[in-house]
Amino acid sequence: MQAPRGTTDRSIGVAFACVLLAACSRSPSLHRESPDPSASVIAIGEALGTCADIPACERECDAGSADRCRRLAASFAFGHGVEQDETHAAALYEHACDLNDPFGCVFAGQMSEFERGVRKDDGKAARFYERACNLQWAPGCYNLAIMYERGTGVPVDREKAAALYEIACAAGAKGACDKGRAMRAPPGAMDF
């Protein structure tokens, strides 16, 4: 996969690790608390970058640059160089996704899943994660696997969840390997 303009392999690796850690941290707690996505979203956005020159990013986004739309979205999401506006950020992430930016798709999914600037819509989040997965970015597959495992926004489907976890596992996410094996185990089977 080719890195978007302005990123480095290291920053993509950092972002990938952050997304996978964020997805892992979404495991239900004993208290069934809602996860706090803000720390993971901020870490990922900062790893992939914001816009240093907002007007230039706006022009390039309007001209069809998915990378600039995503960076502009991050600028609005975090209030870097502009007033923070999560609603505008969500729209820009969706636009980046429409331009086939897998990172933008995952962020758009997180905005919908965690009600950041838009109303909560797990079905819409799942569609964004699926788009990222289809664009061959494993964090989208991992997030979608969690949704299939839990039946959040999509029907519960252990086989589909397992296949998606295995894609993330192949990309190097150890936690996804464990989850994929667990999904393939017969219901009620326990490891000793």
Side-chain angles (χ1 to χ4, degrees):
M1 172 169 41
Q2 190 175 43
R5 191 177 88 208
T7 61
T8 64
D9 290 337
R10 183 178 182 288
S11 68
I12 290 173
V14 169
F16 177 70
C18 291
V19 170
L20 290 180
L21 289 173
C24 293
S25 71
R26 293 169 16 156
S27 300
S29 72
L30 293 175
H31 303 293
R32 294 277 190 208
E33 296 173 358
S34 295
D36 181 7
S38 59
S40 62
V41 173
I42 290 170
I44 296 163
E46 288 179 347
L48 292 176
T50 57
C51 291
D53 182 344
I54 298 298
C57 273
E58 287 173 335
R59 284 189 304 277
E60 291 177 32
C61 176
D62 290 343
S65 171
D67 176 70
R68 293 304 174 212
C69 292
R70 179 185 22 83
R71 288 173 181 269
L72 188 58
S75 296
F76 279 99
F78 313 132
H80 289 180
V82 293
E83 186 174 324
Q84 185 175 19
D85 183 345
E86 288 185 328
T87 301
H88 190 52
L92 286 165
Y93 282 136
E94 289 183 24
H95 185 57
C97 183
D98 289 342
L99 294 169
N100 294 322
D101 182 87
F103 309 106
C105 295
V106 168
F107 300 143
Q110 289 177 330
M111 299 297 272
S112 289
E113 184 180 4
F114 297 111
E115 200 170 358
R116 307 296 293 196
V118 294
R119 71 177 182 80
K120 182 171 179 56
D121 186 338
D122 291 328
K124 188 174 182 180
R127 289 187 297 277
F128 283 124
Y129 296 148
E130 182 175 38
R131 182 93 185 265
C133 185
N134 290 341
L135 289 168
Q136 300 180 359
W137 201 42
C141 302
Y142 196 120
N143 287 353
L144 185 58
I146 291 168
M147 298 190 93
Y148 275 107
E149 178 182 5
R150 295 182 183 166
T152 308
V154 294
V156 171
D157 187 334
R158 292 178 61 84
E159 283 299 314
K160 191 162 201 135
L164 291 163
Y165 281 129
E166 288 167 359
I167 292 169
C169 174
K174 182 186 178 313
C177 301
D178 296 339
K179 297 289 283 176
R181 280 191 295 277
M183 291 286 97
R184 296 271 188 218
M190 298 181 74
D191 292 331
F192 291 98

